[in-house]
């Protein structure tokens, strides 16, 4: 139904996501959408829940010691194709910030 997740759904999936991050030990995370960004950055960005996604993108953040770049959710881009250029910029930033691209 393309609806926002309910708080209990986010909470239920949160432990699973954190366990996957712990097990996989990613070198980099690309957070697509407001809910992913807010969840992953809650410890690093003060009052992140009050921040619009547009204010979080175009920067490299951290989830613990993992670099995180935030961009728009694909469903948002389907409804707002004009934002695809900003997403391209975010992907270029992600590539430049990715630890393996600096080898």
């Amino acid at each position: 139904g393309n609806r926002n997740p309910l708080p209990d759904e986010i909470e239920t999936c949160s432990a699973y996501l954190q366990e996957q991050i712990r097990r996989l030990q990613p070198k980099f995370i690309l957070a697509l959408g407001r809910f992913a960004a807010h969840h992953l950055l809650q410890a690093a960005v003060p009052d992140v829940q009050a921040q619009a996604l547009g204010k979080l993108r175009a920067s490299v953040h951290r989830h613990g010691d993992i670099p995180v770049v935030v961009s728009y959710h694909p469903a948002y881009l389907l409804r707002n194709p004009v934002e695809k250029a900003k997403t391209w910029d975010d992907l270029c930033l992600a590539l430049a910030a990715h630890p393996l691209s600096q080898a």
Side-chain angles (χ1 to χ4, degrees):
N2 196 30
R3 63 173 176 77
N4 292 335
L6 299 173
D8 63 320
E9 292 171 330
I10 294 171
E11 183 62 32
T12 299
C13 295
S14 177
Y16 178 79
L17 174 62
Q18 292 308 317
E19 180 62 16
Q20 291 301 303
I21 291 171
R22 186 189 71 73
R23 286 181 186 211
L24 296 174
Q25 300 179 349
K27 304 283 186 237
F28 188 85
I29 297 174
L30 180 63
L32 299 177
R34 178 170 46 105
F35 293 98
H38 286 173
H39 180 74
L40 290 169
L41 301 179
Q42 63 189 346
V45 177
D47 201 25
V48 73
Q49 300 297 332
Q51 303 240 5
L53 187 73
K55 300 284 185 190
L56 295 170
R57 51 166 300 280
S59 297
V60 179
H61 302 279
R62 312 267 327 153
H63 177 74
D65 59 352
I66 305 167
V68 177
V69 169
V70 173
S71 194
Y72 295 112
H73 191 281
Y76 175 80
L77 295 173
L78 290 173
R79 294 187 308 273
N80 300 283
V82 70
E83 300 292 4
K84 288 181 181 180
K86 291 179 185 175
T87 300
W88 178 256
D89 292 340
D90 295 336
L91 294 175
C92 291
L93 173 64
L95 181 60
H98 192 288
L100 295 180
S101 71
Q102 299 165 16

